[in-house]
Amino acid sequence: MRRRVYRIFLSIMLMLSVVMLVEYAGMYKEEEERQREVSSRAIANELLIPGGMPIGIYMETEGVMVIGTEKVTDMNGQKCEPAAHIVKAGDYIVGIDEKAITSKKELLQEVERLADEEIILHLRRADEDLDVRLKPVQCGKDEFKLGIWIRDNTQGLGTVTFLTGNSEFGALGHGIHDSDTNELVEISKGRLYETSIQDIQKGTSGSPGGMEGVIVYNSRHVLGSIEKNTESGIYGRIDKVDELFENLEPMPAAPRDEIQTGDAYIRSAVDGTVKDYKIRITKIDLSSREINKGIVLEVTDEKLLELTGGIVQGMSGSPIIQNGKIVGAVTHVFVRDSTKGYGIFIENMLKNV
């Protein structure tokens, strides 16, 4: 009798647990939907000034990035690789012994002061801080080497996507990665510069082509500051708005659920003047693994195809406009077909401003 009562009690408790679990799941789903609706309404109310203009980019790394290691020859003519298996490509050197290191120049100055003794390198590897011991190689009288290739800055050309009412900008739609390590560059600071397009290498099958511009890296040509380098673009503040934006007419942003396959435009200054060029959105991937590849597009504008062959390097960040709203930005070109490429949802970019 007791066993029967106990079984009935267990059955009731199990049923109650299932009911509570179902109710909790329903509440969680409702909350998730509510948050998505709130986010969509916020994006729909966001007014942005669309870009399309080319910009020069200069960024300094957070510490000194390790590109790789190499063998060096000591005073006896022997080759050795002191940093092998101690530092890795993608590490950041942030200190030597008690000295903080913020630039390549500072690191080289510390190396010049080295004596024939072991040193401690302070590294940042991903999100981890490491201290490693390394013995410099004496290559000559008062000359020591670590056998490490390093870099402390990166520069290039891209396109600004939007400006907010607070003078915050978003550009590129994808992050800037180191050309040797392919790691996202961690930056301490950066600047935007004026640039002008001088030439265009047309894209062909197997070769994406690119825009070539002149960038003068001096204080008179600084447009603003770069504060973030993320997988969804670079972000910061523009100080000289009137020198970059000719048209300050705002345009609403569109949440991803408003984007449709079909006709749209990209805004770009590939010929020196900001213009709209016809494209077709062929696919919308709401579950893309990569944050900057949610839109698949194809260039259909004959003038742009004649000028560039489609999408070329330097066009990353060109705003995608559909039904009078900014829906995203161009991010990548298909290597085998320069008329096609990827774009990022504008809502993914707006999370960074």
Side-chain angles (χ1 to χ4, degrees):
M1 182 70 179
R2 288 182 179 178
R3 289 183 179 178
R4 186 180 177 188
V5 171
Y6 183 66
R7 288 197 197 99
I8 293 173
F9 175 76
L10 283 180
S11 298
I12 293 172
M13 292 301 295
L14 181 61
M15 289 175 64
L16 286 172
S17 298
V18 170
V19 170
M20 290 175 66
L21 184 62
V22 170
E23 288 181 353
Y24 176 79
M27 291 170 62
Y28 179 81
K29 188 174 181 181
E30 288 177 5
E31 176 62 17
E32 193 176 47
E33 290 293 331
R34 188 188 69 79
Q35 290 181 358
R36 188 179 294 116
E37 288 176 6
V38 170
S39 177
S40 294
R41 286 199 300 270
I43 292 166
N45 292 329
E46 187 80 48
L47 287 176
L48 306 172
I49 297 170
M53 301 75 69
I55 46 173
I57 298 165
Y58 177 85
M59 302 190 307
E60 296 178 6
T61 61
E62 184 72 42
V64 180
M65 176 183 270
V66 174
I67 306 304
T69 63
E70 67 168 352
K71 292 183 177 181
V72 295
T73 304
D74 65 16
M75 292 182 67
N76 299 317
Q78 299 294 316
K79 288 186 177 294
C80 55
E81 195 169 351
H85 312 299
I86 297 176
V87 301
K88 297 180 179 180
D91 286 350
Y92 286 83
I93 300 173
V94 296
I96 292 183
D97 293 330
E98 303 302 320
K99 172 69 175 180
I101 299 296
T102 61
S103 68
K104 183 177 179 178
K105 181 179 179 181
E106 290 179 355
L107 179 59
L108 294 177
Q109 287 174 343
E110 288 304 304
V111 172
E112 288 177 358
R113 299 189 183 102
L114 292 179
D116 185 15
E117 58 186 27
E118 199 173 58
I119 63 169
I120 296 176
L121 283 182
H122 304 289
L123 306 176
R124 187 174 63 254
R125 181 176 296 167
D127 295 326
E128 186 179 4
D129 293 326
L130 300 174
D131 290 341
V132 299
R133 295 183 180 275
L134 188 148
K135 187 175 178 62
V137 173
Q138 187 169 6
C139 302
K141 185 180 180 180
D142 299 325
E143 181 187 3
F144 293 86
K145 292 184 178 180
L146 305 180
I148 303 174
W149 286 99
I150 56 175
R151 180 179 291 134
D152 67 353
N153 65 72
T154 185
Q155 54 270 327
L157 184 147
T159 299
V160 66
T161 305
F162 64 81
L163 182 74
T164 71
N166 296 323
S167 297
E168 294 176 297
F169 78 88
L172 298 187
H174 62 73
I176 295 179
H177 293 72
D178 181 76
S179 57
D180 292 294
T181 66
N182 201 35
E183 296 287 335
L184 186 72
V185 177
E186 299 178 20
I187 68 168
S188 60
K189 59 183 177 181
R191 293 179 291 278
L192 290 187
Y193 288 87
E194 296 175 16
T195 185
S196 58
I197 304 304
Q198 300 296 306
D199 192 20
I200 294 173
Q201 300 297 323
K202 289 183 67 172
T204 58
S205 178
S207 177
M211 297 161 57
E212 297 179 2
V214 174
I215 307 169
V216 181
Y217 293 106
N218 64 37
S219 58
R220 287 185 300 145
H221 293 86
V222 174
L223 294 169
S225 58
I226 302 171
E227 298 167 1
K228 294 181 185 179
N229 178 35
T230 75
E231 292 293 357
S232 56
I234 61 172
Y235 302 87
R237 185 170 297 276
I238 292 179
D239 301 318
K240 299 178 181 178
V241 173
D242 293 336
E243 293 187 23
L244 182 61
F245 287 82
E246 293 182 4
N247 184 357
L248 296 176
E249 184 177 348
M251 184 177 290
R256 68 180 68 190
D257 55 11
E258 286 189 15
I259 308 172
Q260 305 170 347
T261 56
D263 294 338
Y265 296 88
I266 58 173
R267 185 164 290 185
S268 179
V270 288
D271 71 347
T273 305
V274 177
K275 295 178 181 177
D276 289 342
Y277 296 98
K278 291 183 288 184
I279 64 165
R280 181 172 178 79
I281 297 175
T282 58
K283 182 180 178 181
I284 301 164
D285 188 352
L286 299 179
S287 57
S288 173
R289 293 181 180 180
E290 298 182 64
I291 193 171
N292 47 39
K293 291 185 177 180
I295 299 172
V296 181
L297 59 95
E298 180 178 6
V299 175
T300 58
D301 195 288
E302 292 297 330
K303 291 182 179 179
L304 186 58
L305 291 171
E306 177 63 27
L307 184 64
T308 65
I311 300 168
V312 296
Q313 294 177 0
M315 288 176 64
S316 294
S318 299
I320 302 172
I321 299 168
Q322 187 180 61
N323 299 325
K325 296 183 178 182
I326 302 176
V327 301
V330 176
T331 57
H332 298 83
V333 59
F334 288 10
V335 176
R336 295 184 180 276
D337 186 351
S338 60
T339 68
K340 299 177 181 178
Y342 289 107
I344 184 174
F345 299 126
I346 194 65
E347 66 179 71
N348 288 342
M349 295 186 71
L350 288 174
K351 293 174 183 177
N352 292 282
V353 297

